[in-house]
């Protein structure tokens, strides 16, 4: 590939860039409509050629807007109000739309999150890659030129590890992992000096996630290209970036080399984020979480925006203006780091990824003994919340090849325990969950969900459906889609309570009281009953979804990727909530996830699903510490977490 | 083998469905005569003297003494041979009467559709690109006025403006021969197209705005695809299926609209024929016209259905997994 800039000198791990590829200084972004709230308040960052920079932070931190401003592709209603952006030494904010458009693709390109919506559904992948090629090098007209472009597309596909025939495929014919590769080839078609990847692996399962991260890393080295990785997944950021910027509520709170930041965070927010990340290697008991949520634009006061949620807050935090300064000299890599914490000198070492173990081993062992030393070695069938035996399910018939989603799956969810079901996307996890709650039929085998015996080939009748609803409830992945936007939280919960009563639950007392009790259970204040989902954050919505499921006092709660769409700090809150509710109400949980760290954190038992078969099953410690099946080992190897020595 | 852009199975299902629909339509149209109050034979005789001989002749001619199904089959056999009976009013064969008027209405509808497409679709694209700005608001307001103006009122306004005041176009009549015919049909076609244009405009605008907001458009910009190509190849391609569906529906609307427009402009087409036949209870003609218009509408639907998989690969059946590694 031909990179046209003279600065293309690979600098892996370059800490202090001399010749910068991207320099953002004091960038401000605000909403143009309504109250003109400031969204990004003076963010500065730099990327050197060949360097990978991670930008992390919770949703609402402004990380995506701050970096997208570089491409000039801010969404409608949002505009840059200050600061400078210079790409390869050229100030781009002053350029007209046409000149900025000419920079896209060649200087900077953007790779986005969802591979299923990023490519045009009616154009072949090859066509979309070809559309981005530089026209002066790959002319469009003429028979010979067309053949040359075709050959170039095939070469680009090979570069991202895809066979030539993908050129003729339409996006809906490919899997998420393949699509993200094809999209990467399209993003790189005009050979940009800088690639911005906005949550490029969030929509993928862990195996594909690891593969796409490895691909981006390899392309960065081969092309000596700068890479900005925007992500809310700390493991992704710390495993693949040279330097990390931590954004919160529109400001950079800390930045520095990835390893140093991870080992010894110099801002309480970074430390809290790192601590709330579950680890695949050991259970954190309890999993620390950050109370509250990111303040929305317009409600940020003076001083440190994190002050309201910070455990180390002092009076000066609420007044002192936010400035980035070098951390105390003792911190690792102090000369190349900056922190916005005004009190960092006064704080004794914040727990990093390695330092959180104090007092952790005791309760962990106690818990694992509780599981291992339970009176029964294997799960007992008689009092199980869910027994699945030899279940098969095939989708598609006749002329279509058909797809065996589940074959001969047997699984027992013991009463009162949390059983995790893991597997990559397409392994049949969700199909099994839907069968267990009567939303999906199955072709063979038996399913006993508490008192209800489901039959193969048919849907449960009305009476069975009621008994099933009284016993089993489900929490879905996306709290934005699973709550009706028109109903208040109170109305949603009242409806769930009414349904529970119809299904035979004796609800004592006033219904409004019961709604308040449900809100209280999931840690939401009473006045939330009058709010609609739009006024709630993602984590709060998921709490409402949990409360709705708990209205029926189920004996089995199915969580289908219930924390996958949430930020780590919120994920920690919801995981803690589920564990606590399980303890107090003693229901069983079937926890479907692709995240083995979450499994380690919450599950007593785990079953691994691969291509519709259960390939391994056992206690969490057995399966994760001593995996026997190849698929389990593959899933573990794909986790981007580096083991930190104890 | 199911790999062509238009899979055989899909075509067969759609064509089969259309045939079933046509059958149901023809039964309904045939039943019109039987449902009409009074003796069908008297109805068919119309104003002529209902002597016993005449009634018997009509009964024999239309097999009125046979069971309903047999009558229907006789009638259908005739229809398939373009024998649609004779007009009660004029005694002329129905097929010849319709055939004589078909050309004019065909030209009117064709011209009306052309006006609607040429104004509605570019207008929709323009308003979508300039959305929420002055151009958008102005065009949208004009569209709203066009949509809510009945054809007879709109026609009269156009006649007043362009015939009486400006004297650009004739006020009525079909004209003689090619150029003159076209000159005469401009005002009727615009009148006919007014509301339909507004519908297409709104539909196109909504479809283009929806496409512009898609992630793949942002991604195309983000990798430097030229803006013009994004508009044509990405945005308009995506908007094509909903707009095409709209065009299919609009054809039906245009055919119905000819009834009013031909009255206003005194055009001897199918629309005014329908009005006359209904007025004189000329049942064979009404039946034939109803069947003809319904068939056209159903066929327009079939064409849009068949065009969709050509445009959108997602509507084609999946390629089988194994046979691709070649």
């Amino acid at each position: 590939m031909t990179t046209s800039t003279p600065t293309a000198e690979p600098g892996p791990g370059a800490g202090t860039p001399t010749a910068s590829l991207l320099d953002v200084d004091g960038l401000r972004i605000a909403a143009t409509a309504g109250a003109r709230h400031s969204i990004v308040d003076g963010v500065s960052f730099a990327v050197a050629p060949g360097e990978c920079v991670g930008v992390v932070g919770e949703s609402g931190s402004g990380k995506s807007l701050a970096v997208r401003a570089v491409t000039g592709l801010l969404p409608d209603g949002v505009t840059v109000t200050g600061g400078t952006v210079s790409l390869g030494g050229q100030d781009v904010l002053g350029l007209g739309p046409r000149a900025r458009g000419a920079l896209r693709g060649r200087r900077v390109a953007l790779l986005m999150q969802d591979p299923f919506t990023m490519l045009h559904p009616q154009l072949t992948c090859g066509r979309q890659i070809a559309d981005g090629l530089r026209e002066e090098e790959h002319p469009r007209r003429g028979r010979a030129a067309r053949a040359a472009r075709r050959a170039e597309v095939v070469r680009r596909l090979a570069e991202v590890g895809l066979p030539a025939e993908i050129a003729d495929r339409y996006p809906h014919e490919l899997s998420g992992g393949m699509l993200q590769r094809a999209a990467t080839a399209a993003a790189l078609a005009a050979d940009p000096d800088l690639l911005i990847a906005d949550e490029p692996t969030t929509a993928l399962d862990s195996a594909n996630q690891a593969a796409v991260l490895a691909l981006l890393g390899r392309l960065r080295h081969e092309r000596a290209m700068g890479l900005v990785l925007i992500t809310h997944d700390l493991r992704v950021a710390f495993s693949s970036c040279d330097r990390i910027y931590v954004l919160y509520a529109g400001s950079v709170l800390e930045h520095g080399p990835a390893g140093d930041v991870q080992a010894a965070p110099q801002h309480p927010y970074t430390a809290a984020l790192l601590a709330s990340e579950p680890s695949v290697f050991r259970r954190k008991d309890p999993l620390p979480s950050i109370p509250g949520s990111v303040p929305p634009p317009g409600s940020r006061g003076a001083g440190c925006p994190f002050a309201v949620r910070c455990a180390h807050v002092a009076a000066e935090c609420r007044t002192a203006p936010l400035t980035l300064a070098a951390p105390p000299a003792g911190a690792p890599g102090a000369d190349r780091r900056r922190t916005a914490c005004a009190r960092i000198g006064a704080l004794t070492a914040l727990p990093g990824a390695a330092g959180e173990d104090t007092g952790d081993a005791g309760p962990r062992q106690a818990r694992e003994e509780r599981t291992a030393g339970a009176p029964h070695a294997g799960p007992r069938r008689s009092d199980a919340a869910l027994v699945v035996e030899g279940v098969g399910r095939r989708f598609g018939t006749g002329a279509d090849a058909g797809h065996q989603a589940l074959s001969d799956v047997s699984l027992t969810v013991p009463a009162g325990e949390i059983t995790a079901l893991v597997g990559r996307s397409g392994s049949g996890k969700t199909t099994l969950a839907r069968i267990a709650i009567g939303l999906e039929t199955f072709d063979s085998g038996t399913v006993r969900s508490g008192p209800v015996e489901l039959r193969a080939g048919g849907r449960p009748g009305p009476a069975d459906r009621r008994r099933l609803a009284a016993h089993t409830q489900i929490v879905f992945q996306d709290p934005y889609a699973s709550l009706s936007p028109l109903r208040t939280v109170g109305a949603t919960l009242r409806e769930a309570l009414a349904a529970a009563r119809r299904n035979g639950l004796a609800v004592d007392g006033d219904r409004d009281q019961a709604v308040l009790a449900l809100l209280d259970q999931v840690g939401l204040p009473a006045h939330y009953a009058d709010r609609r989902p739009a006024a709630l954050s993602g984590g709060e919505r998921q709490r409402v979804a949990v409360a709705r499921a708990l209205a029926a006092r189920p004996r089995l709660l199915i969580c289908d990727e219930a924390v996958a769409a949430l930020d780590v700090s919120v994920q920690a809150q919801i995981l803690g909530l589920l564990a606590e509710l399980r303890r107090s109400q003693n229901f069983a949980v079937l926890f479907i996830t692709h995240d083995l760290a979450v499994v380690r954190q919450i599950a007593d038992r785990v079953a691994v699903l691969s291509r519709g078969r259960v390939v391994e099953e056992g206690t969490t410690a057995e399966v994760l510490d001593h995996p026997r099946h190849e698929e389990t080992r593959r899933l573990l190897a794909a986790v981007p977490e580096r083991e930190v020595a104890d | 083998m199911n790999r062509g852009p238009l899979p055989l199975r899909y075509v067969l299902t759609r064509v089969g469905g259309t045939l079933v629909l046509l059958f149901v339509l023809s039964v309904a149209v045939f039943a019109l005569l039987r449902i009409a109050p009074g003796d069908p034979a008297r109805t068919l005789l119309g104003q002529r003297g209902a002597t016993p001989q005449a009634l018997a002749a009509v009964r024999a001619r239309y097999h009125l003494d046979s069971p309903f199904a047999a009558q229907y089959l006789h009638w259908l056999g005739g229809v398939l041979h373009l024998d649609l009976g004779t007009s009660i009013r004029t005694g002329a064969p129905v097929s010849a009467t319709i055939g004589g008027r078909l050309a004019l209405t065909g030209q009117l509808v064709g011209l009306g559709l052309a006006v609607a497409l040429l104004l509605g679709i570019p207008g929709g694209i323009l308003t979508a690109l300039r959305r929420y700005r002055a151009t958008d608001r102005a065009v949208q307001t004009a569209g709203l006025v066009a949509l809510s103006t009945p054809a007879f009122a709109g026609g009269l306004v156009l006649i007043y403006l362009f015939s009486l005041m400006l004297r650009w176009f004739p006020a009525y009549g079909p004209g003689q021969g090619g150029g003159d015919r076209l000159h005469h049909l401009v005002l009727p076609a615009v009148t006919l197209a007014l509301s339909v244009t507004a519908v297409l405009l709104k539909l196109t605008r909504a479809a283009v705005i929806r496409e512009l907001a898609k992630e793949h458009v942002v991604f195309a910009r983000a990798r430097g695809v030229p803006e013009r190509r994004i508009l044509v190849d990405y945005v308009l391609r995506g908007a094509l299926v909903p707009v095409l569906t709209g065009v299919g529906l609009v054809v039906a609307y245009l055919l119905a609209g000819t009834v009013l427009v031909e009255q206003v402009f005194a055009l001897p087409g199918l629309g005014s024929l329908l009005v006359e036949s209904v007025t004189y209870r000329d049942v064979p003609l009404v039946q034939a016209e109803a069947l003809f218009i319904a068939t056209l509408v159903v066929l327009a639907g079939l064409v849009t259905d068949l065009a969709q998989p050509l445009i959108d690969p997602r509507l084609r059946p999946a390629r089988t997994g194994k046979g691709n590694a070649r």
Side-chain angles (χ1 to χ4, degrees), chain A residues 73 104-105 109-110 112 117-118 120-123 127-128 131 135 140 165 168-170 172-173 183 186 399, chain B residues 9 131 215-216 218-219 221-226 229 233-234 237-238 311-314 316 319 324-325:
Chain A
L73 291 174
R104 286 195 287 267
L110 175 69
M112 298 188 294
T117 59
M118 214 187 331
H120 198 295
Q122 289 157 260
L123 293 170
R127 168 75 192 276
Q128 298 191 60
D131 275 342
E135 282 188 29
R140 289 169 65 78
E165 76 227 30
D168 296 322
R169 289 309 177 92
Y170 290 98
H172 72 278
E173 300 176 309
Chain B
R9 206 162 140 189
R131 59 191 175 282
E215 288 260 282
H216 61 68
V218 179
F219 184 52
R221 290 205 175 107
R223 54 189 216 268
V225 178
R229 203 181 310 153
D233 281 1
Y234 288 68
R237 186 185 298 266
I311 302 167
D312 193 337
R314 285 169 299 177
R316 301 171 205 162
R319 306 181 203 201
N324 42 33

Side-chain angles (χ1 to χ4, degrees), chain B:
Chain B
M1 69 181 207
N2 267 343
R3 284 203 42 175
L6 252 189
L8 191 64
R9 206 162 140 189
Y10 178 81
V11 175
L12 289 181
T13 343
R14 288 303 142 125
V15 171
T18 305
L19 288 177
V20 170
L21 192 56
L22 282 177
F23 169 72
V24 173
L25 271 172
S26 67
V27 171
V29 163
F30 177 71
L32 271 182
L33 178 64
R34 315 297 120 158
I35 293 165
D39 182 359
R42 281 183 186 278
T43 310
L44 287 171
L45 268 179
Q47 312 292 327
R48 284 171 284 171
T51 60
Q53 291 85 351
L55 281 174
V58 164
R59 289 213 173 89
R61 162 96 172 75
Y62 291 98
H63 306 277
L64 291 182
D65 294 324
S66 319
F68 182 83
Q71 291 179 36
Y72 169 74
L73 288 178
H74 269 291
W75 177 78
L76 187 66
V79 168
L80 293 178
H81 292 96
L82 292 181
D83 172 14
L84 296 141
T86 51
S87 162
I88 295 170
R89 197 159 55 93
T90 64
V94 167
S95 47
T97 311
I98 289 183
R101 304 236 177 165
L102 190 57
L104 180 63
T105 299
Q107 289 157 355
L108 177 61
V109 169
L111 204 57
L113 185 62
V115 170
L117 291 178
L118 289 177
L119 288 178
I121 290 179
I125 297 170
L126 180 78
T127 49
L129 293 178
R130 298 257 179 283
R131 59 191 175 282
Y132 313 129
R133 291 194 224 157
T135 323
D136 178 29
R137 284 179 214 283
V139 175
Q140 287 241 75
T141 310
L144 197 65
V145 171
L147 187 63
S148 44
T149 309
F152 56 87
L156 291 181
V157 171
L158 289 180
I159 288 175
Y160 183 75
L161 278 179
F162 294 101
S163 306
L164 302 184
M165 291 180 67
L166 297 170
R167 299 190 175 278
W168 288 358
F169 298 105
Y172 62 89
Q176 325 253 310
D180 191 42
R181 167 67 57 90
L182 189 67
H183 194 218
H184 274 79
L185 282 187
V186 168
L187 284 188
V190 170
T191 310
L192 183 62
L194 271 181
S195 57
V196 165
T197 304
V199 170
L200 278 184
L201 183 108
K202 281 208 164 279
L203 224 140
T204 310
R205 178 180 180 271
V208 170
I209 286 180
R210 201 166 47 235
E211 283 302 308
L212 281 170
K214 292 263 170 84
E215 288 260 282
H216 61 68
V217 173
V218 179
F219 184 52
R221 290 205 175 107
R223 54 189 216 268
V225 178
E227 203 60 32
R228 199 185 175 71
R229 203 181 310 153
I230 291 177
L231 179 65
V232 176
D233 281 1
Y234 288 68
V235 174
L236 297 189
R237 186 185 298 266
L240 203 51
V241 167
V243 170
L244 197 75
T245 311
V247 171
L249 295 174
V250 148
V251 169
Y253 203 91
L254 283 173
L255 280 168
T258 56
V259 172
L260 277 177
V261 171
E262 288 180 7
Q263 289 295 306
V264 171
F265 290 93
L267 295 172
L270 284 182
S272 45
L273 180 65
L274 188 62
V275 174
E276 289 159 24
S277 352
V278 169
T279 313
Y280 292 100
R281 296 195 24 154
D282 196 342
V283 175
L285 253 178
V286 174
Q287 280 182 322
E289 284 217 70
L291 189 63
F292 180 70
I293 291 178
T295 306
L296 281 184
V297 170
V298 169
L299 288 181
L302 178 65
V303 169
T304 46
D305 271 357
L306 291 183
Q308 285 185 11
L310 291 177
I311 302 167
D312 193 337
R314 285 169 299 177
L315 301 174
R316 301 171 205 162
R319 306 181 203 201
T320 42
K322 299 289 173 277
N324 42 33
R326 250 176 284 128

Side-chain angles (χ1 to χ4, degrees), chain A residues 439-506:
Chain A
L439 289 172
E440 189 67 72
T441 58
F442 52 103
D443 307 328
S444 55
T446 60
V447 173
R448 192 165 58 74
S449 209
V452 186
E453 196 86 45
L454 297 173
R455 272 170 317 166
R459 290 179 190 280
D464 273 353
R465 200 170 272 286
R466 285 181 167 195
R467 290 197 295 152
L468 194 60
H471 178 266
T472 310
Q473 289 285 318
I474 189 164
V475 176
F476 293 103
Q477 170 172 358
D478 186 356
Y480 290 81
S482 68
L483 294 176
S484 164
L486 296 177
R487 285 172 180 263
T488 62
V489 168
T492 296
L493 295 182
R494 268 194 298 279
E495 181 198 52
L497 284 165
R501 202 173 295 192
R502 275 199 304 279
N503 294 337
L505 183 74

Side-chain angles (χ1 to χ4, degrees), chain A residues 136-310:
Chain A
E136 69 274 16
E137 287 162 29
H138 308 282
R140 289 169 65 78
R141 295 186 193 286
R143 185 181 288 263
R146 225 173 294 142
R149 279 168 75 82
R150 167 84 191 183
E152 184 64 20
V153 165
V154 168
R155 214 179 59 72
R156 299 305 181 103
L157 283 170
E159 189 187 7
V160 296
L162 289 175
E165 76 227 30
I166 299 298
D168 296 322
R169 289 309 177 92
Y170 290 98
H172 72 278
E173 300 176 309
L174 303 181
S175 70
M178 288 166 102
L179 273 182
Q180 197 62 308
R181 284 168 183 274
T184 305
L188 297 179
D191 304 313
D193 308 325
L194 175 69
L195 178 67
I196 295 170
D198 191 352
E199 304 272 9
T201 59
T202 307
L204 306 174
D205 63 31
S206 51
N208 278 317
Q209 202 174 57
V212 167
L213 283 176
L215 171 70
L216 288 174
R218 175 168 66 76
L219 291 170
R220 160 171 80 102
H221 281 294
E222 287 172 3
R223 289 168 165 259
M225 166 182 81
L227 178 63
V228 178
L229 201 59
I230 308 169
T231 179
H232 73 280
D233 189 334
L234 299 177
R235 286 172 300 187
V236 165
F238 283 108
S239 67
S240 39
C241 298
D242 303 319
R243 287 190 305 123
I244 300 285
Y245 287 82
V246 181
L247 255 69
Y248 183 81
S251 302
V252 174
L253 292 190
E254 170 169 13
H255 70 85
D260 297 336
V261 173
Q262 187 177 23
Q266 292 297 308
H267 195 287
Y269 177 60
T270 319
L273 269 189
L274 283 167
S276 61
E277 180 81 69
S279 160
V280 74
F281 300 109
R282 65 205 165 287
R283 179 175 286 187
K284 300 177 180 179
D285 196 16
L287 181 65
S289 64
I290 311 175
S293 53
V294 182
S299 65
R300 300 169 190 158
C304 178
F306 186 59
V308 285
R309 299 171 74 189
C310 186

Side-chain angles (χ1 to χ4, degrees), chain A residues 282-364:
Chain A
R282 65 205 165 287
R283 179 175 286 187
K284 300 177 180 179
D285 196 16
L287 181 65
S289 64
I290 311 175
S293 53
V294 182
S299 65
R300 300 169 190 158
C304 178
F306 186 59
V308 285
R309 299 171 74 189
C310 186
H312 308 278
V313 66
E316 61 192 285
C317 299
R318 303 184 198 277
T319 50
L322 204 64
T323 46
L324 284 168
D335 53 327
R336 295 189 297 165
R337 303 178 63 174
R338 295 291 180 269
T339 172
C341 185
R343 301 191 65 231
I344 194 65
L347 299 178
T348 48
L350 290 166
E356 81 236 347
D357 264 18
T358 43
D360 182 32
R364 179 182 97 231

